[in-house]
Amino acid sequence: MDIPAGTSGAVLLPYDVNVESLAAAAPRAAMVAFRIECHDDDGRAEMQSDGKLSTNVFLAHGGNVSGQALTAPTEKALKCALLASAPFIESTEDGLTSLAVQADLRSESPDGEHLLALDRLDDATLVQTGQAEYVLSLKVDDPAVLDSMSTTVRLTSCTVVGGSRDGGTGENLCLESMTGRESSTVRIRVIARWLNADGEVTGTTKYWDETLAVDYNTHHVPWTLRQGDMAQRVSDSADAVVLVVQVQSLAGTPFVIHADGTDAVISTRR
């Protein structure tokens, strides 16, 4: 994806990926991972978010994932690429060396601004049954300019100990005593808190409310939501708004929210 010079504002890079199904003599799974990297004439360019995500797929079924990255504001021309890998795959003797992937990568220059939500998590966070975490938030001073919001939350269920941390260092948060085959039942909500001129909350609106299962076989799930026409639900009396993303454990096996790759981009109109 080529981004011409003079774009000025941060550029949103949404992507959709289809991992094609592959005939296999026995059930086989792979963890596939994606991220976006951009370069200018001086080398690798700074990113506000690289859109990192990962998930497990059964090769016979394939799978679909979506995400988004956000460049830093720059006047330079950029060349951006979606990078895919399968860092952990069950090894057999059938000679499999690659997975077939189809990807759609787009660029969206702002009519107003693309704003990265604040990540409320400093590191991977364990969520036990009944617990809720506010993982993202952003204040917008003029709600009337709200346009769209693209959100990704990276989840890992405690079906095994491994994979329950961010990066390659630190301890896994899932302990052997909390692992199990029961699905993690997760509720994710996107909430708008409308503020008056004094900064007091005058009301709330649920932009999204969804319950999903992170099952034993999937293990790693990147939950992605793209919402448009957000200004149509703005309270008439609101002087500002705080948008928050809440993740709650309703039942089942505990899970981890990864700070790395959990992000949201709010787009505004002029």
Side-chain angles (χ1 to χ4, degrees):
M1 174 64 64
D2 291 318
I3 299 173
T7 304
S8 183
V11 176
L12 179 65
L13 297 166
Y15 64 88
D16 300 290
V17 177
N18 175 51
V19 181
E20 296 183 10
S21 60
L22 186 68
R28 296 190 59 192
M31 189 182 91
V32 292
F34 303 92
R35 64 182 176 88
I36 290 178
E37 192 173 286
C38 296
H39 291 80
D40 56 29
D41 290 339
D42 297 323
R44 189 168 174 175
E46 179 184 353
M47 302 287 289
Q48 294 190 69
S49 168
D50 65 2
K52 178 181 178 180
L53 58 80
S54 58
T55 190
N56 289 326
V57 296
F58 279 104
L59 302 189
H61 299 151
N64 298 282
V65 293
S66 299
Q68 69 282 324
L70 186 66
T71 71
T74 181
E75 294 288 346
K76 297 181 179 180
L78 296 175
K79 184 177 289 293
C80 301
L82 175 65
L83 307 181
S85 64
F88 302 103
I89 187 170
E90 297 172 359
S91 178
T92 65
E93 302 299 324
D94 60 6
L96 177 67
T97 59
S98 63
L99 300 177
V101 173
Q102 292 187 344
D104 175 31
L105 173 63
R106 307 174 298 282
S107 67
E108 297 181 3
S109 299
D111 180 36
E113 288 184 283
H114 292 312
L115 306 169
L116 188 68
L118 301 176
D119 192 340
R120 298 285 295 273
L121 302 178
D122 295 326
D123 203 348
T125 299
L126 179 69
V127 184
Q128 303 268 19
T129 302
Q131 182 182 350
E133 292 284 345
Y134 288 102
V135 299
L136 300 162
S137 70
L138 182 71
K139 182 181 178 184
V140 178
D141 291 329
D142 182 5
V145 303
L146 282 176
D147 183 23
S148 61
M149 183 174 176
S150 299
T151 308
T152 298
V153 178
R154 287 185 62 211
L155 305 167
T156 294
S157 63
C158 290
T159 53
V160 297
V161 172
S164 59
R165 62 186 181 186
D166 278 347
T169 61
E171 297 181 355
N172 283 305
L173 298 182
C174 293
L175 304 177
E176 189 68 37
S177 60
M178 63 180 65
T179 60
R181 298 185 70 92
E182 187 180 4
S183 295
S184 303
T185 303
V186 183
R187 183 184 188 187
I188 302 180
R189 296 192 295 171
V190 180
I191 303 168
R193 294 175 177 160
W194 310 111
L195 310 179
N196 61 20
D198 296 323
E200 300 168 331
V201 178
T202 59
T204 61
T205 297
K206 281 191 293 186
Y207 271 101
W208 197 261
D209 192 338
E210 180 177 347
T211 300
L212 66 148
V214 185
D215 64 29
Y216 180 83
N217 294 318
T218 307
H219 187 47
H220 300 289
V221 170
W223 177 89
T224 297
L225 174 67
R226 293 169 181 156
Q227 301 177 91
D229 301 322
M230 297 187 71
Q232 294 182 8
R233 300 180 65 184
V234 172
S235 171
D236 292 338
S237 59
D239 292 286
V241 64
V242 175
L243 295 165
V244 298
V245 178
Q246 184 193 62
V247 179
Q248 182 180 11
S249 172
L250 296 181
T253 304
F255 61 86
V256 168
I257 308 169
H258 295 279
D260 185 12
T262 292
D263 57 39
V265 178
I266 290 89
S267 302
T268 63
R269 295 176 287 104
R270 289 190 177 90

